[in-house]
Amino acid sequence: MKKLLLTLLALLTAAAGGAAWKFSPGFASLPLEELERRHATPDSKFADVDGVRVHYMDQGSGPAVVLLHASFMHLRTWDSLAKALSPRFRVIRLDLLNAGLTGPEPNGNYRMDRNVELTEGLLAQLGVDRYAIVATSSGGIVGFRLAAKRPENVTRLVLINSAGMPRTAATNPNRPRGNALTRWIAANYVSPDMLRAQLQQNFVPPNTPPEWLIQINYDFNRRAGRQEAGALQMKQFETGDPEATLANVRAPTLVLWGLENATVMHLEADVFQHWLVNAPTLLRKYPGVGHYLYLEEPETFAADVGAFLDGRLDGELRRVQLLMPDGTPMAAAAP
């Protein structure tokens, strides 16, 4: 009976969406313990941070750099960058709430500021009080909020295709698509082929999502309780006042964007730079690249991030010039 129902649902979805796909035989949910058995690596570490079992990696030595991943992703997406940076930096990366191998939030608090607190808590346990931040997509919100909250601790900030701008129902990248049936199936029974197609929407050909990412994401997408926690995340999300928050950032900031980003339009990069009024900034846009530029062009990306963290791009940093109502320059606060 169950097989018949799944077959019927697949046929209905194919008819509704005009595309044929098949369910994978391993779609059933996976407990966190099984995911840890499959995907923990020799570099995996776990820490209890304010009641949450946080999965993280701590590699290399030198000035500390914290990597914050995107929604629907995990710390393994930073493998290439961590490998490039760890010979001269201490690279710390963690799975944020409802991602990878980090455990559930016992109090049901999945707000972005909770991720800020957990990142701070982990760094405190590791004895790290000065650090750069490299953050992408929704991780960018965590990154710039932390940089604004702790300007005395954050040495540099890299924002990559960052989320966090005000949204309308029409511009929300997480707005519902399709009909109720296709949304339900997409939330509960995503096959590797469906994941590949979804990811490809954010990669610009000839770039394609790597197979290792598809397989890992396929397992993490089936994490037990993920859908319920995700619903809480969406319900609790608040944009806040990003203009005021970004004005509190003091660290030199590199803003990187895929020029063909279909999820977060590249013009938002200019808004980020404009609102970083008290931080020296550098904006770079990559042609032929989408939302996941660190996966699409990892070598170019790692070289640019490394050069910025080393200070080799400081000559290109500039400050946004604000004007008073009478047209005279407004002095910005010192970094």
Side-chain angles (χ1 to χ4, degrees), residues 109-129:
N109 182 359
Y110 286 91
R111 291 178 171 83
M112 281 294 168
D113 283 343
R114 182 59 170 153
N115 278 312
V116 173
E117 294 171 355
L118 293 177
T119 303
E120 284 189 284
L122 176 63
L123 293 172
Q125 288 193 25
L126 297 177
V128 176
D129 60 2

Side-chain angles (χ1 to χ4, degrees), residues 59 67 78-89 91 93 302:
Q59 300 160 294
L67 310 182
W78 295 120
D79 280 358
S80 178
L81 181 62
K83 182 178 179 180
L85 295 182
S86 58
R88 61 190 192 279
F89 294 97
V91 182
R93 43 182 166 149

Side-chain angles (χ1 to χ4, degrees), residues 6 22 30 42 47 56 83 96 105 152 168 228 301 303-304 327:
L6 293 177
K22 62 178 182 297
L30 296 172
Y56 72 99
K83 182 178 179 180
L96 299 173
E105 215 296 332
E152 70 280 6
T168 66
E228 294 81 359
F301 169 77
D304 288 347

Side-chain angles (χ1 to χ4, degrees), residues 2 5-6 8-10 13 21 23 27 176-190 194 221 227:
K2 184 176 181 180
L5 177 60
L6 293 177
L8 177 60
L9 289 173
T13 303
W21 51 271
F23 285 111
F27 67 81
R177 266 87 159 183
N179 56 45
L181 175 61
T182 58
R183 289 197 299 270
W184 183 86
I185 294 175
N188 291 278
Y189 299 107
V190 178
M194 291 175 66
N221 190 69
Q227 298 302 330

Side-chain angles (χ1 to χ4, degrees), residues 244 246-253 273-281 319-320 322 330-335:
L246 290 165
N248 288 324
V249 174
R250 298 294 189 272
T253 301
Q273 185 178 43
H274 183 71
W275 283 354
L276 285 160
V277 294
N278 290 309
T281 61
R319 286 188 181 275
V320 173
L322 298 181
M330 179 187 300

